[in-house]
Amino acid sequence: MGGTQILLKVMKKLLLALAGVAMMSGSAMAQDYEKNIYGVRAGLNVANISVDGYSPNSKVGFHVSGVYQRLLTSSMPFYLETGLSFSQKGCKVGSEVGDIKVNSMYLQIPVMVNYKFNIKDVVTLYPSVGFYYGMGLGGKIKGEGYKVDTFGKEGALKRSDFGMRISGTVEWKKFSFGLGYEFGFINVGNNVNLGDVDFDDEDMGFDGEDYGIATPKVKTGNFFISIGYNF
């Protein structure tokens, strides 16, 4: 069973669990839940890119986000969660011709749902699950003696990315701490013109005899940690 299928099953079970909590809470007295929540988030990315099943080394980056949460029903703390995020991703590849660094900056829009569990008067825990769309804004692929664009007509990656996002967040008063993982569903690999660069690396699957055009299956992944503040 592939990783995507496993995570989809996790998503399904989580949604069923949230639905069960909602049903049990349906007969409870309605509370005055906050209808609109605005916040900011910033933190650390540990990103990677799988290439035809091969996983290079992870690359550390950052993200900065604006977050909006909208209450979906007045009888329970069930929220739609979205926003806008600038996220730095990529990977590091070791090869016989030297290390290669893939740097990429994305503008991302998540669409998720969450359910808030009040632990104490000032502490709230909530899981979030949903999807994201990412648009590649720019970046460079750097190696020994060369540098090319990450995106664009001659770039290694397509600009559009779409995938699933799962996270857990703890809120204390107006402050928050969260962690999660996001993984791409679609192949973002572009036709790569390797030119005269000889990637004679068995791990990457490149053969020195047929270098020139490579069409790998490329998918993104990213583990993230965030701190934030709600207004």
Side-chain angles (χ1 to χ4, degrees):
M1 182 180 295
T4 300
Q5 291 178 315
I6 294 174
L7 285 170
L8 285 174
K9 284 194 172 183
V10 171
M11 177 182 176
K12 181 179 179 181
K13 290 181 178 180
L14 180 57
L15 288 174
L16 288 174
L18 292 177
V21 172
M23 290 176 65
M24 289 186 292
S25 305
S27 59
M29 184 179 297
Q31 299 184 32
D32 187 18
Y33 300 116
E34 194 169 359
K35 293 182 179 180
N36 298 285
I37 302 173
Y38 299 89
V40 291
R41 306 284 186 269
L44 181 74
N45 289 343
V46 182
N48 209 332
I49 298 175
S50 66
V51 183
D52 285 331
Y54 168 79
S55 182
N57 295 323
S58 298
K59 177 182 176 298
V60 175
F62 69 92
H63 63 269
V64 179
S65 309
V67 178
Y68 171 65
Q69 299 177 63
R70 170 67 180 179
L71 185 66
L72 295 177
T73 173
S74 60
S75 62
M76 63 194 74
F78 194 56
Y79 285 83
L80 172 69
E81 180 180 347
T82 186
L84 199 62
S85 175
F86 291 94
S87 188
Q88 185 185 45
K89 299 182 181 181
C91 69
K92 295 180 180 179
V93 182
S95 73
E96 294 180 2
V97 295
D99 292 339
I100 302 169
K101 294 182 179 180
V102 179
N103 301 292
S104 56
M105 177 63 72
Y106 285 89
L107 177 66
Q108 291 191 178
I109 301 175
V111 178
M112 311 171 71
V113 292
N114 70 54
Y115 190 93
K116 298 183 182 293
F117 298 91
N118 185 252
I119 307 302
K120 292 185 178 180
D121 290 340
V122 293
V123 178
T124 301
L125 170 67
Y126 64 89
S128 302
V129 62
F131 304 95
Y132 73 91
Y133 171 76
M135 171 62 71
L137 299 179
K140 296 290 184 180
I141 299 177
K142 300 178 181 179
E144 294 294 331
Y146 71 94
K147 181 170 64 174
V148 297
D149 291 335
T150 303
F151 303 107
K153 185 176 180 181
E154 302 298 328
L157 301 181
K158 299 174 184 176
R159 290 190 183 275
S160 291
D161 188 22
F162 174 76
M164 184 176 176
R165 181 181 172 102
I166 300 173
S167 66
T169 303
V170 177
E171 290 182 344
W172 176 72
K173 296 183 178 180
K174 293 290 186 177
F175 298 94
S176 69
F177 173 81
L179 54 85
Y181 188 76
E182 54 192 18
F183 63 97
F185 286 158
I186 64 177
N187 179 15
V188 297
N190 212 359
N191 290 344
V192 184
N193 189 347
L194 301 179
D196 295 328
V197 180
D198 186 357
F199 287 83
D200 189 10
D201 189 337
E202 293 181 359
D203 289 335
M204 289 298 294
F206 293 130
D207 190 333
E209 295 181 358
D210 56 22
Y211 66 90
I213 298 293
T215 55
K217 293 181 180 179
V218 181
K219 295 186 178 181
T220 61
N222 181 43
F223 171 78
F224 59 90
I225 300 174
S226 299
I227 57 173
Y229 183 83
N230 293 331
F231 301 106

